[in-house]
Amino acid sequence: VSPLVALLLVASFSKPENTTCRHSGDLENPQLVQDGDIILGGIFPFHSSWKNRQENFTHKPLPLQCESLNFRGFQYAQAMRYAIEEINNRTDLLPGITLGYQMYDACDSIARSIKVALALVNGNTAELTLKECASAAQVQAIMGETTSTLSAAIATAIGPFHIPLISHYSTCACLSDKTKYPSFLRTIPSDYFQSRALAQLVKHFGWMWVGAIRTDDDYGNSGMAAFTETAQRLGICLEYSVPFFRMDPPDKIQKITDLIKASTSKVIVGFLSGMDMDVLLYEFSKHNLSGYQWVGSEGWIFDFQTAARDKTHILDGAIGLSIPKAHVSGLQEFILDVTPLNSSNNDLFIEFWETMFSCEFKRSESAAQVQEECTGREDVAGVKNSFTDMSLMPILNNVYKGVYAVAHALHMILGCNKTCNTDVQPQPLEILEHVKKIHFKTKEGDEVYFNENGDPAAKYEIINWQPKENGIVDFVTVGLYDASLPAGKQLNLQSDLIWARNSRQVPVSICSEPCQPGTRKVLQKGKPVCCHDCVTCAEGEISNNTGSIACVRCHPEFWSNERRDACVKKQEVFLSYEEIMGALLTAASLFGTCLTAIVAFIFFRHRKTPLVRANNSELSFLLLFSLILCFLCSLTFIGQPSEWTCKLRHTAFGITFVLCISLVLMAFKARLPGGNMMKWFGPIQQRLSVLGLTLIQVIICVLWLTISPPFPFKNFQELRDKIILECALGSDLGFWAGLGYIGLLAILCFISAFLARKLPDNFNEAKFITFSMLIFCAVWLTFIPAYVSSPGKFSVAVEIFAILASSFGLLICIFFPKCYVILLKPEKNTKKYMMGKGASK
């Protein structure tokens, strides 16, 4: 050990025991004092501001000079005195123990609040010995402060000493954080619940576009932050949210006024203290800033003095949350009896009395009297001001409950029964732990207890400012909010009792009108979500609720109506007999059938004539029969598709056309002159050939129907607002194989007709058959692209047209020339004429 360290150790152990601790700075004397066995501290705002000084830092700053007497602070002090006096007079609570108090003025200053809090802890002595300095705190608990910012500062300073700080009016949710403020408790609910209750209240009335003004301190900033969070979750938007403090310069208030005038929202949420609201109200009255619906926090909404200052009725119809009404018997009379204050602090009492009655005590014989002279006998009860106004009785009751909470904790610690153990010295930590556990009822039946965060149960009354004919505002309770109830049942409003700005009709405050059914919201760029445009839903989509954020697409079988607010069943479209196109095609089919039947009848009547016999009457009748089937099969394409019509239409068409063309082909092979063709194509060979050619198509159709047959199908893609009922092919290969086979036979038939074009006229009308095959091939070649590109029922019409056109082509080109001869040129239908013409050829 070095010689210097050894010297310091010797010096430290050789210090005398009477070494003293000196108080640094000016001493702070309590404003109100009463001795007792156990002392409780109180910190209240006897003044609401202080005098600003410009310091030049050349000398020690003067002590803070408080100004603007605050009568509410005196009310809180009187409530604390009343509770202590009542406890001292009781025999069942702390018997034999007298409670005393020391109350300081916080002057609404953070620095002064901390200073007086430490004065309560350390005492008000200039010098203390080491032993006295290390002893327990001078007070066992502290009542106060009123504002959250000051309470947070005090709780931070005295928290390490575990001295309970019980506030009656500090509501900031931040104070529930026990890691920062371990010794803080309160008898008023936390703003955690109030902020959410205000947001639910605003949502209840449909006010989705609001402005907000808050006190620029822990109370306002924390409360508004919680309100904003809940409001956003409920879909409420804030057009503006501005902070304000009563000490702000006039230009700041002017900016707030201009902001409100320029805004479009008609509802203002005021998370303000009473003093800040009074300053704003004074400025707003100058600009006649009326016509807005105010929603208020408990800081000002149930203060009759604020209502009395509203001479221009700016706040008429205001609604908000207040602490439930309370009554403490005897408290009002005690508060108004101020004579005991005169014995505690003469200077404070004189200032109180002069301010109360607007008079002045005579200081000396030579002093000039500016105001009326005070006599000291003025009647307090006859004055109407914030001191005699008992609208804050719920807050005074909170002070009363806070004192009783400490008394019950001390009662348990001291083991009181008929008497208390005076040998026990209560320690702050012990008192704090017992205060957290207390659970009792006041004489009025109010339950007092704290949760794990040091907060009481959250219950609020919802009050509405309703002016009477004489201009006095009546605070009407229109509902309740109980945070202990399940979600959805916490807010209970009686809407029929609410009065809003000269009408019971609820004001409207929205950024954009709600989007009606059939439209959806589209957010406006750069604006909150409450500001939107309404866009009509697209075709096939609907919205059937007001304020829809998106349109819902209809089921594929449904389509949106004109208003876009309902899905209606799509019209089912198919080629029907009732529509013009279907009727015309049906008529054409029946006409072709009848015409073919007439031709067959003519041929039957003239079956003995040379012309009919020369054309192989058996094949001719079979050909006419197949043409009738071709005309009739087109009818299967008309009407609503079903399972059997889908299978029948394509197979019947394929088989009948193959039969028809194979008969034409056999007619050429059987009647070609010369060679051995007649020998090889006799009647039996003809029948077998027709049967064989047709059987191939039958096999194709059977395979098609077996593997992947056509089926009825609802086409939603072709037309957006209609359902096309059609027959799906099932197998495209089956369809095109059948059609290709028909085409192959048609080409063979065309080649045969082309080769026979120079045969004798009386033997065969080859050129007419050639022309019919040209028509047939042309029709079906054009059919392919037309069929592929035609939508819905038009593709069916194209197919029917192709069937009818090719059938009429065969009928007209093959049989009409013969009917012309039979009916109009009978002289040519003789054996002599035909033989003679054949010889000339």
Side-chain angles (χ1 to χ4, degrees):
V1 179
S2 66
L4 178 60
V5 174
L7 181 61
L8 291 173
L9 289 172
V10 171
S12 63
F13 283 110
S14 62
K15 285 183 180 180
E17 291 187 2
N18 60 352
T19 301
T20 59
C21 296
R22 289 187 180 278
H23 187 282
S24 178
D26 300 318
L27 295 176
E28 288 291 343
N29 294 316
Q31 276 63 49
L32 299 175
V33 181
Q34 177 177 300
D35 290 333
D37 300 322
I38 297 175
I39 304 298
L40 301 183
I43 304 176
F44 302 112
F46 294 121
H47 294 85
S48 58
S49 62
W50 61 92
K51 188 174 182 180
N52 283 321
R53 296 191 182 98
Q54 295 295 330
E55 301 292 346
N56 54 18
F57 304 102
T58 59
H59 61 272
K60 180 181 177 182
L62 296 173
L64 198 70
Q65 184 177 346
C66 300
E67 58 183 13
S68 300
L69 199 71
N70 181 15
F71 288 125
R72 294 297 188 191
F74 284 91
Q75 283 188 325
Y76 304 146
Q78 286 288 76
M80 181 175 174
R81 290 183 59 249
Y82 175 73
I84 289 175
E85 186 171 313
E86 190 175 75
I87 292 168
N88 289 340
N89 291 331
R90 288 180 60 167
T91 58
D92 59 332
L93 185 62
L94 293 177
I97 301 294
T98 303
L99 296 180
Y101 56 80
Q102 291 183 11
M103 301 186 196
Y104 282 87
D105 183 8
C107 201
D108 210 24
S109 165
I110 295 177
R112 181 174 174 82
S113 297
I114 296 174
K115 186 175 183 180
V116 299
L118 295 176
L120 286 171
V121 175
N122 298 323
N124 196 33
T125 307
E127 294 184 356
L128 292 172
T129 64
L130 286 175
K131 184 177 181 181
E132 291 173 329
C133 193
S135 62
Q138 301 297 309
V139 296
Q140 305 303 316
I142 299 176
M143 302 295 115
E145 218 281 334
T146 302
T147 65
S148 297
T149 298
L150 299 187
S151 291
I154 296 169
T156 302
I158 68 172
F161 307 115
H162 307 293
I163 298 175
L165 175 66
I166 304 177
S167 175
H168 54 282
Y169 214 172
S170 299
T171 58
C172 178
C174 58
L175 292 167
S176 297
D177 187 352
K178 295 300 104 178
T179 59
K180 290 184 179 180
Y181 312 107
S183 65
F184 178 82
L185 302 101
R186 53 186 159 196
T187 51
I188 189 170
S190 166
D191 281 340
Y192 173 88
F193 303 101
Q194 181 181 203
S195 299
R196 285 152 181 77
L198 284 175
Q200 291 182 34
L201 184 65
V202 171
K203 173 71 173 180
H204 175 83
F205 290 109
W207 297 327
M208 312 307 290
W209 183 239
V210 301
I213 306 176
R214 66 186 185 275
T215 295
D216 194 9
D217 61 7
D218 289 336
Y219 165 72
N221 292 330
S222 176
M224 186 54 67
F227 171 83
T228 303
E229 179 188 350
T230 306
Q232 289 176 345
R233 194 165 59 248
L234 296 176
I236 301 167
C237 299
L238 269 66
E239 183 178 11
Y240 57 87
S241 179
V242 292
F244 170 75
F245 194 69
R246 52 190 169 277
M247 304 297 289
D248 286 343
D251 62 320
K252 175 71 175 291
I253 303 177
Q254 184 61 46
K255 288 181 180 178
I256 295 175
T257 303
D258 295 340
L259 178 63
I260 294 174
K261 286 182 177 179
S263 67
T264 58
S265 57
K266 297 301 179 183
V267 175
I268 303 175
V269 178
F271 219 103
L272 299 158
S273 67
M275 289 182 285
D276 291 329
M277 189 65 197
D278 291 342
V279 175
L280 283 175
L281 190 59
Y282 176 74
E283 295 296 329
F284 290 166
S285 299
K286 293 179 182 179
H287 297 84
N288 192 25
L289 205 64
S290 59
Y292 294 90
Q293 174 66 48
W294 283 83
V295 180
S297 63
E298 38 64 50
W300 62 271
I301 195 68
F302 67 109
D303 191 341
F304 275 106
Q305 290 302 306
T306 301
R309 295 186 186 98
D310 185 19
K311 302 298 183 183
T312 55
H313 303 284
I314 290 175
L315 302 177
D316 282 3
I319 191 169
L321 303 179
S322 74
I323 307 303
K325 292 182 178 64
H327 173 72
V328 181
S329 56
L331 179 56
Q332 181 173 349
E333 294 77 10
F334 186 91
I335 290 175
L336 297 179
D337 182 12
V338 296
T339 51
L341 296 176
N342 192 19
S343 60
S344 298
N345 187 309
N346 192 47
D347 292 338
L348 184 64
F349 177 77
I350 290 173
E351 183 184 3
F352 169 82
W353 198 268
E354 290 179 343
T355 307
M356 170 75 74
F357 298 103
S358 300
C359 61
E360 187 176 329
F361 284 105
K362 191 172 183 179
R363 298 314 196 262
S364 64
E365 294 295 333
S366 60
Q369 290 296 119
V370 179
Q371 293 179 316
E372 182 182 345
E373 183 179 353
C374 297
T375 64
R377 294 186 298 275
E378 289 82 0
D379 184 15
V380 175
V383 179
K384 298 295 183 183
N385 60 17
S386 58
F387 183 75
T388 58
D389 170 38
M390 295 297 158
S391 61
L392 294 189
M393 183 59 73
I395 308 302
L396 303 178
N397 184 39
N398 288 343
V399 178
Y400 177 85
K401 291 190 288 188
V403 175
Y404 262 88
V406 176
H408 278 274
L410 291 171
H411 188 87
M412 290 187 289
I413 293 171
L414 298 177
C416 299
N417 193 359
K418 291 184 178 180
T419 59
C420 296
N421 185 1
T422 55
D423 295 332
V424 177
Q425 182 65 35
Q427 297 299 315
L429 180 58
E430 190 179 14
I431 296 174
L432 176 62
E433 294 301 323
H434 278 78
V435 170
K436 291 179 180 179
K437 298 175 183 178
I438 57 97
H439 195 146
F440 66 92
K441 285 187 177 181
T442 65
K443 63 181 181 180
E444 308 297 342
D446 296 335
E447 277 192 282
V448 180
Y449 62 93
F450 302 98
N451 63 15
E452 65 276 6
N453 295 321
D455 299 327
K459 293 182 181 180
Y460 298 95
E461 288 182 354
I462 301 171
I463 63 171
N464 181 215
W465 288 26
Q466 299 185 7
K468 297 181 179 178
E469 294 180 358
N470 56 6
I472 298 175
V473 175
D474 188 16
F475 292 175
V476 179
T477 300
V478 295
L480 297 171
Y481 181 86
D482 189 349
S484 63
L485 295 177
K489 297 182 179 180
Q490 296 172 338
L491 185 66
N492 182 17
L493 274 172
Q494 296 174 282
S495 300
D496 57 318
L497 299 178
I498 297 174
W499 183 95
R501 305 210 59 81
N502 299 315
S503 171
R504 292 198 180 274
Q505 185 176 358
V506 177
V508 177
S509 184
I510 52 178
C511 181
S512 302
E513 290 293 331
C515 290
Q516 297 302 312
T519 62
R520 62 181 177 88
K521 293 194 294 187
V522 176
L523 299 183
Q524 296 178 0
K525 188 176 181 180
K527 291 189 177 182
V529 294
C530 296
C531 301
H532 57 264
D533 296 320
C534 296
V535 178
T536 304
C537 292
E539 290 185 343
E541 296 181 347
I542 66 158
S543 65
N544 52 11
N545 294 320
T546 302
S548 296
I549 60 175
C551 297
V552 180
R553 180 162 292 279
C554 294
H555 187 271
E557 293 192 14
F558 291 81
W559 193 249
S560 56
N561 59 2
E562 290 185 2
R563 295 190 302 272
R564 306 286 199 274
D565 59 357
C567 289
V568 294
K569 192 170 181 61
K570 287 182 180 179
Q571 180 185 355
E572 294 182 339
V573 183
F574 56 89
L575 187 62
S576 66
Y577 296 100
E578 288 79 12
E579 60 181 296
I580 296 176
M581 184 166 58
L584 290 175
L585 292 173
T586 302
S589 174
L590 295 177
F591 176 72
T593 302
C594 295
L595 197 59
T596 306
I598 292 171
V599 171
F601 177 74
I602 293 172
F603 266 57
F604 181 76
R605 285 288 304 271
H606 299 84
R607 62 187 181 279
K608 303 293 186 180
T609 61
L611 184 62
V612 176
R613 295 179 65 184
N615 281 276
N616 195 331
S617 59
E618 182 180 352
L619 291 180
S620 297
F621 284 116
L622 283 175
L623 181 58
L624 289 170
F625 175 72
S626 65
L627 284 174
I628 290 175
L629 293 179
C630 288
F631 281 117
L632 290 177
C633 79
S634 63
L635 296 178
T636 61
F637 289 82
I638 304 174
Q640 182 173 347
S642 62
E643 189 173 351
W644 73 270
T645 56
C646 287
K647 292 179 179 179
L648 178 64
R649 59 172 60 171
H650 289 105
T651 53
F653 151 69
I655 294 172
T656 55
F657 260 76
V658 166
L659 176 62
C660 180
I661 296 173
S662 62
L663 287 169
V664 175
L665 183 61
M666 287 303 104
F668 281 110
K669 298 295 183 183
R671 303 296 293 172
L672 283 174
N676 296 321
M677 193 63 69
M678 289 290 292
K679 177 182 177 181
W680 295 105
F681 278 89
I684 297 176
Q685 287 80 3
Q686 294 173 24
R687 297 187 189 102
L688 290 176
S689 297
V690 169
L691 182 62
L693 292 173
T694 306
L695 185 61
I696 294 173
Q697 182 74 322
V698 171
I699 293 172
I700 293 174
C701 292
V702 169
L703 291 174
W704 182 13
L705 294 177
T706 303
I707 298 172
S708 182
F711 58 90
F713 172 69
K714 292 182 178 181
N715 187 344
F716 302 109
Q717 306 300 324
E718 206 72 48
L719 299 175
R720 292 179 298 176
D721 57 342
K722 295 178 181 179
I723 302 174
I724 300 175
L725 301 182
E726 59 187 14
C727 288
L729 295 177
S731 172
D732 291 336
L733 179 61
F735 173 75
W736 293 110
L739 194 62
Y741 182 62
I742 295 173
L744 176 63
L745 293 181
I747 292 171
L748 292 175
C749 190
F750 171 74
I751 293 172
S752 299
F754 180 77
L755 294 176
R757 68 188 184 282
K758 295 182 180 180
L759 293 179
D761 290 343
N762 64 337
F763 175 74
N764 204 332
E765 301 294 337
K767 56 179 175 290
F768 292 112
I769 297 177
T770 304
F771 188 65
S772 71
M773 287 298 103
L774 281 173
I775 295 174
F776 185 90
C777 292
V779 166
W780 287 102
L781 284 174
T782 56
F783 160 77
I784 295 173
Y787 179 81
V788 173
S789 60
S790 297
K793 63 182 180 181
F794 296 103
S795 64
V796 178
V798 167
E799 193 167 357
I800 295 174
F801 178 80
I803 293 172
L804 294 178
S806 55
S807 299
F808 274 113
L810 290 172
L811 177 65
I812 293 171
C813 292
I814 295 176
F815 291 99
F816 270 32
K818 299 177 177 60
C819 291
Y820 173 77
V821 172
I822 293 172
L823 297 176
L824 300 178
K825 299 290 184 179
E827 67 275 9
K828 294 182 179 182
N829 190 14
T830 61
K831 186 174 182 181
K832 180 180 178 181
Y833 175 80
M834 295 185 69
M835 293 296 293
K837 194 166 184 178
S840 66
K841 291 287 183 178

